[in-house]
Amino acid sequence: EAQVTQNPRYLITVTGKKLTVTCSQNMNHEYMSWYRQDPGLGLRQIYYSMNVEVTDKGDVPEGYKVSRKEKRNFPLILESPSPNQTSLYFCASSFSRRTDTQYFGPGTRLTVL
Amino acid sequence: GQQVMQIPQYQHVQEGEDFTTYCNSSTTLSNIQWYKQRPGGHPVFLIQLVKSGEVKKQKRLTFQFGEAKKNSSLHITATQTTDVGTYFCASTSNSGYALNFGKGTSLLVTP
């Protein structure tokens, strides 16, 4: 089944404890992206990747890191999480390098205490 | 990135009534995408509009892209309870790589 998977789906952590949210797609998509969703703010793009080893900042990159060492994986890294990073995170992918139909993962709900 | 403003923020309708959400920009958009997110779910792609004045239909849903490519609308005819969710528009940046979402319109349909 063609899909985007994220792990973990739920995470409660404490301030400053490094964490990684994994994202994987099995559709051989070129483009992958991370979004955060907050009430009243909609979806905001954190980082995106047009291809392996090619990444760029979205609208809200502060406090996040990403890497794209393999085409199928695009992990989101929070080196030192803070409470303002409590949010619902979505990974998405699309076939072409430019923004095309975005296929979203199921989401990761992160709480930073 | 290119900002898109979406209105209204919320809409509550009786089942069978029509619903429209609007997406506006101060700059010309290269394209517009629409997504639906059910409560507790993830956004699901509905459609992409590219051409000036374009109109596309999907059953009871009608999508329009303005002549000036600065606005778009999604109209649902005779809403059903299955239409409940948040509808987002999104536009591509000039580079074609970043995607900017509107804040969404949450639709509630009561039977």
Side-chain angles (χ1 to χ4, degrees):
Chain A
E1 180 189 355
Q3 59 182 349
V4 178
T5 57
Q6 295 178 227
N7 281 293
R9 295 289 313 280
Y10 303 91
L11 179 61
I12 301 174
T13 189
V14 295
T15 299
K17 186 176 181 181
K18 181 179 178 180
L19 66 93
T20 299
V21 184
T22 65
C23 174
S24 182
Q25 50 92 6
N26 63 359
M27 296 171 280
N28 200 36
H29 282 173
E30 300 275 355
Y31 183 96
M32 297 186 74
S33 183
W34 277 102
Y35 301 86
R36 61 177 289 174
Q37 185 173 27
D38 303 289
L41 297 178
L43 288 154
R44 294 180 292 169
Q45 197 170 35
I46 303 171
Y47 270 96
Y48 56 90
S49 169
M50 300 81 91
N51 209 335
V52 174
E53 302 290 4
V54 183
T55 64
D56 205 351
K57 298 176 181 179
D59 288 330
V60 288
E62 294 77 21
Y64 305 95
K65 285 177 57 178
V66 293
S67 67
R68 186 96 181 272
K69 292 183 170 51
E70 304 168 280
K71 195 172 187 179
R72 63 183 293 131
N73 296 322
F74 190 44
L76 179 69
I77 303 158
L78 284 71
E79 295 270 2
S80 184
S82 62
N84 64 13
Q85 293 179 298
T86 292
S87 186
L88 178 58
Y89 291 87
F90 288 103
C91 179
S93 69
S94 64
F95 179 73
S96 68
R97 293 185 183 184
R98 292 180 179 268
T99 52
D100 200 344
T101 304
Q102 297 282 299
Y103 293 86
F104 282 81
T108 296
R109 186 165 293 281
L110 172 66
T111 301
V112 183
L113 302 175
Chain B
Q2 291 182 307
Q3 299 296 320
V4 286
M5 307 300 293
Q6 201 171 344
I7 55 170
Q9 190 174 1
Y10 303 99
Q11 186 81 56
H12 181 186
V13 300
Q14 295 286 328
E15 190 172 24
E17 293 181 336
D18 292 357
F19 160 77
T20 304
T21 175
Y22 300 91
C23 189
N24 301 305
S25 172
S26 59
T27 59
T28 303
L29 303 171
S30 55
N31 61 33
I32 198 87
Q33 298 178 4
W34 286 94
Y35 292 81
K36 176 183 178 181
Q37 183 179 22
R38 295 181 186 274
H42 59 274
V44 175
F45 176 82
L46 294 176
I47 210 159
Q48 176 169 275
L49 305 173
V50 179
K51 299 177 182 177
S52 167
E54 190 170 12
V55 179
K56 289 188 177 180
K57 293 189 176 184
Q58 291 179 351
K59 297 183 180 178
R60 294 179 294 104
L61 277 62
T62 302
F63 304 85
Q64 293 189 349
F65 202 9
E67 293 289 342
K69 300 182 72 173
K70 290 184 176 182
N71 55 70
S72 180
S73 65
L74 159 59
H75 180 81
I76 302 178
T77 303
T79 54
Q80 300 175 358
T81 54
T82 54
D83 295 325
V84 166
T86 301
Y87 293 85
F88 293 97
C89 63
S91 71
T92 306
S93 66
N94 290 331
S95 69
Y97 295 120
L99 194 61
N100 301 301
F101 280 80
K103 293 182 179 181
T105 296
S106 293
L107 173 64
L108 178 61
V109 181
T110 51

